[in-house]
Amino acid sequence: MAGTAAGQDRSLMEPAGTEGSAAPASAPGQRQRAHALAQYFPILEWGRSYNGTVLTRDLVAAVVVTIMLIPQSLAYALLAGLPPVVGLYASILPLVAYAIFGTSRTLAVGPVAVVSLMTASAAGAVAAQGTALYLEAAITLAALSGIMLAVLGLLRMGFLANLLSHPVISGFITASGILIATSQLKHILGVGAGGDTWPAMLGGIAAAIDQINPWTLAIGLPATLFLFWVRKGLKPLLVRLGLTQHAADIVAKAGPVAAVAATIVAALVLDLGARGVNLVGAIPQGLPPFALPSTNPDLIAQLWVPALLISIIGFVESVSVAQTLAAKRRQRIAPNQELIGLGASNIASAFSGGYPVTGGFARSVVNFDAGAETPAAGAYTAVGIALAGLFLTPLLFSLPIATLAATIIVAVLSLVDLKTPGQLWRYSKADFAAHMVTIVITLLAGVELGVIAGVAVGLLLYLWRASRPHAAIVGRVPETEHFRNIDRHDVFTVPHVLSIRIDESLTYLNARWLEEYVLEEVADRPAVRHVILMCSAVNEIDASGLESLEAINHRLADAGIGLHLSEVKGPVMDRLNRTDFVAELKGRVFLSQNRAFRELAANGGPSEVPPADMARGMI
């Protein structure tokens, strides 16, 4: 056996063409297969270099994230209108699935505020909270979302997330933060109030203001203030007391655990349950159950659109976080594989009794800061959550609902961005319009219509801008070969040559506009004998754009004017050469705008260029 092994080792080191070279001939194929497999199972990539040092760092990060995630999971399940334990269920198997399929080394997957709100909105449209059908709808949403994400990933369609522009996403998250915080006020006040829109929520709270439970308020208000202080003031205090910045940050992130412990003690000592304070109550003890999503066609028909919106919003939020954290360590993520990873996580959540999940910003930052090196930290966090489900849930019986509401309010108000509207107003009125429409519709009509309206307005504004592209009449900058807008720079021109720079691709959206623009400019300049279309910014000319170029060519030729093109990109020129346009062109195609201007300026008509400059051959 030893001889055989030695022979194998020698054969692997021998160059191709020598005796025994069959083994290395297959090695490249094996490596290619391994690489292809690792693309879909990134755990095979980072798992090869896993060692004791990385294990220690991942375990430390897992402990920190577990402490943070337990109260968060309970709170977000409450926000979704589900039993608190469902939040724990959604924080176990999804983390394991992402560790296998995800590409981010530090992204922490689980319930998040915005997706929880969207789940409540979608499930609430088909069933009442607290019913079996409501829970079934939430589980089915997770399954549908997971399938959609996985299919999009396999089809490599991650680009679809680009339909949601930053102003739309920012507006939606801001409005969602306001809605979520408002929806939790009833738990802080101890009143019964409902509503899916902001006016309805405020109206419900106002109508029940005389029913405030002072004991609930005495728990909820201090808990909220304490958590706000923890977020902003605890870290500086700990640093002054001697902790390092890193240690102080981690301790501060565990503030919600302190609030949970303190209010549980208060509930037990003061017997708050008997005083009308709503408590979490009995939480089923044990591991997540096996669950099956619904296959009812009617239910699926009602849920597929919300599931698609949840998928896209969750993917955009998750990828944004993952890319930000990966850049800090000079790592990279694969967006299409992230779709598969998030899809697997949601499918795992559905079959373990959970609801839709995605990558969360706060817990991912904590995971990153705590030193997580690989997605295995998420799997260890899942073990921690599972242990909590097995042994700690009885301790949460007396946890006031107001504490969970305070946790949600403090978390989501950090999402509310009041600076962006002013910035967008100064930079782009169109983006400001998309941003504000998203906010207003989300607040007044609900999260689903808010997203749809934001996307619709964004697309309409894009189409409007694309249908009226920027174009400029250009002239040559003195002493250079550069051409710039005549309205912005002092440039040389000649009256019989009109140079127009087109700053967009020519498509069906703007083809007619270009036709009208060129002919109007020519009509205003009787001396023009040559028109040059400077195409340096034109990346594509579709069939409609080609038709308009042909029309411009014929109209100008009828008036005795030549049409010329300059700086046409290679791929665009290749397509033009496959048509009759070049043969029918009454002018020429020039490699550079400078050469076109130099030759045509000397071809008839008085010059506005100084004679000395012409003598130097600069035109």
Side-chain angles (χ1 to χ4, degrees):
M1 293 293 292
T4 303
Q8 289 175 344
D9 290 342
R10 281 196 302 271
S11 69
L12 288 173
M13 297 180 66
E14 288 173 354
T18 63
E19 185 180 359
S21 62
S26 63
Q30 292 174 350
R31 285 194 295 270
Q32 289 176 354
R33 286 192 294 272
H35 177 70
L37 196 60
Q39 284 185 324
Y40 291 101
F41 298 93
I43 189 174
L44 300 177
E45 183 76 27
W46 55 263
R48 288 199 295 266
S49 58
Y50 206 76
N51 55 43
T53 302
V54 176
L55 171 65
T56 301
R57 293 174 180 172
D58 283 348
L59 284 173
V60 171
V63 170
V64 175
V65 175
T66 299
I67 293 172
M68 174 187 183
L69 193 53
I70 291 173
Q72 259 196 7
S73 299
L74 299 171
Y76 290 149
L78 173 72
L79 174 60
L82 298 164
V85 72
V86 176
L88 296 180
Y89 295 163
S91 303
I92 299 177
L93 287 187
L95 280 74
V96 177
Y98 185 83
I100 297 172
F101 295 99
T103 61
S104 172
R105 299 296 181 95
T106 53
L107 187 72
V109 172
V112 300
V114 173
V115 170
S116 297
L117 177 65
M118 296 180 74
T119 299
S121 175
V126 299
Q129 289 189 13
T131 63
L133 181 57
Y134 187 93
L135 177 58
E136 184 180 17
I139 293 172
T140 304
L141 273 173
L144 290 173
S145 178
I147 292 170
M148 290 175 178
L149 288 166
V151 169
L152 289 174
L154 291 172
L155 295 177
R156 308 187 70 80
M157 298 181 69
F159 66 90
L160 289 178
N162 296 333
L163 290 175
L164 291 172
S165 65
H166 173 71
V168 170
I169 287 289
S170 176
F172 175 73
I173 290 177
T174 292
S176 297
I178 295 172
L179 279 177
I180 292 169
T182 305
S183 71
Q184 297 307 297
L185 288 178
K186 61 184 180 184
H187 298 301
I188 298 293
L189 301 174
V191 300
D196 295 323
T197 64
W198 201 39
M201 291 177 186
L202 293 176
I205 292 172
I209 200 71
D210 58 340
Q211 303 170 14
I212 291 177
N213 185 312
W215 291 98
T216 301
L217 184 61
I219 287 289
L221 184 59
T224 304
L225 296 176
F226 170 75
L227 291 174
F228 271 120
W229 174 78
V230 164
R231 182 175 286 266
K232 298 292 184 181
L234 181 57
K235 180 179 176 180
L237 175 62
L238 294 174
V239 171
R240 288 197 299 270
L241 293 176
L243 266 68
T244 64
Q245 289 278 349
H246 181 66
D249 189 55
I250 291 176
V251 173
K253 292 292 194 302
V257 177
V260 166
T263 53
I264 288 176
V265 171
L268 291 171
V269 172
L270 300 175
D271 193 17
L272 294 180
R275 301 178 187 274
V277 176
N278 290 327
L279 305 178
V280 168
I283 297 178
Q285 196 170 357
L287 296 175
F290 177 76
L292 283 175
S294 174
T295 56
N296 184 333
D298 293 333
L299 182 61
I300 292 174
Q302 290 178 282
L303 295 177
W304 77 266
V305 172
L308 179 61
L309 295 176
I310 288 172
S311 300
I312 295 175
I313 293 290
F315 173 64
V316 171
E317 181 178 353
S318 180
V319 166
S320 299
V321 175
Q323 288 176 333
T324 299
L325 296 179
K328 292 184 177 181
R329 292 185 180 174
R330 298 191 178 184
Q331 297 169 346
R332 60 178 293 276
I333 66 166
N336 288 312
Q337 182 59 30
E338 281 297 289
L339 281 168
I340 296 174
L342 291 174
S345 297
N346 278 279
I347 292 171
S349 182
F351 282 95
S352 58
Y355 69 102
V357 298
T358 192
F361 178 75
R363 73 174 68 99
S364 296
V365 171
V366 171
N367 196 38
F368 180 92
D369 290 341
E373 291 285 340
T374 72
Y380 302 147
T381 299
V383 173
I385 299 294
L387 292 174
L390 284 170
F391 303 110
L392 298 183
T393 50
L395 301 178
L396 299 173
F397 182 93
S398 298
L399 174 62
I401 297 293
T403 304
L404 297 180
T407 302
I408 294 172
I409 289 173
V410 174
V412 300
L413 285 183
S414 65
L415 304 176
V416 177
D417 184 359
L418 300 179
K419 295 180 181 178
T420 294
Q423 295 170 347
L424 290 176
W425 174 260
R426 291 189 295 272
Y427 182 75
S428 169
K429 301 298 188 295
D431 287 335
F432 171 81
H435 181 78
M436 293 307 299
V437 165
T438 305
I439 290 178
V440 172
I441 298 298
T442 301
L443 291 176
L444 298 183
V447 291
E448 292 177 18
L449 286 177
V451 176
I452 293 172
V455 172
V457 171
L459 287 175
L460 287 174
L461 290 172
Y462 169 77
L463 294 175
W464 181 81
R465 287 194 296 258
S467 68
R468 301 182 60 82
H470 183 266
I473 298 173
V474 297
R476 185 172 59 75
V477 178
E479 308 294 337
T480 75
E481 296 182 359
H482 300 295
F483 287 76
R484 294 293 184 268
N485 191 333
I486 63 172
D487 294 327
R488 293 176 178 269
H489 303 273
D490 292 326
V491 293
F492 290 137
T493 62
V494 292
H496 64 284
V497 176
L498 175 63
S499 295
I500 299 176
R501 188 187 69 222
I502 307 168
D503 293 335
E504 295 282 350
S505 294
L506 300 182
T507 69
Y508 69 96
L509 292 172
N510 56 38
R512 299 302 178 199
W513 177 89
L514 176 66
E515 201 174 322
E516 295 174 2
Y517 177 83
V518 171
L519 296 177
E520 286 177 3
E521 293 296 336
V522 169
D524 291 339
R525 293 169 172 80
V528 167
R529 293 294 175 265
H530 301 283
V531 173
I532 309 171
L533 295 184
M534 184 176 175
C535 301
S536 54
V538 177
N539 296 315
E540 181 185 5
I541 299 177
D542 70 4
S544 298
L546 175 62
E547 184 180 355
S548 287
L549 286 179
E550 291 172 340
I552 293 171
N553 180 48
H554 290 305
R555 295 280 294 276
L556 293 180
D558 292 342
I561 300 172
L563 175 66
H564 311 268
L565 306 181
S566 74
E567 302 189 7
V568 182
K569 294 183 177 179
V572 176
M573 198 66 227
D574 290 341
R575 297 183 66 180
L576 291 179
N577 283 330
R578 294 198 293 267
T579 70
D580 297 330
F581 172 72
V582 177
E584 296 176 357
L585 188 64
K586 302 305 179 182
R588 296 168 53 191
V589 179
F590 291 90
L591 181 64
S592 71
Q593 173 66 20
N594 184 63
R595 182 174 179 178
F597 183 73
R598 185 178 66 238
E599 294 189 13
L600 296 176
N603 184 17
S607 174
E608 293 180 5
V609 184
D613 194 48
M614 292 184 67
R616 288 195 295 270
M618 294 296 296
I619 311 179

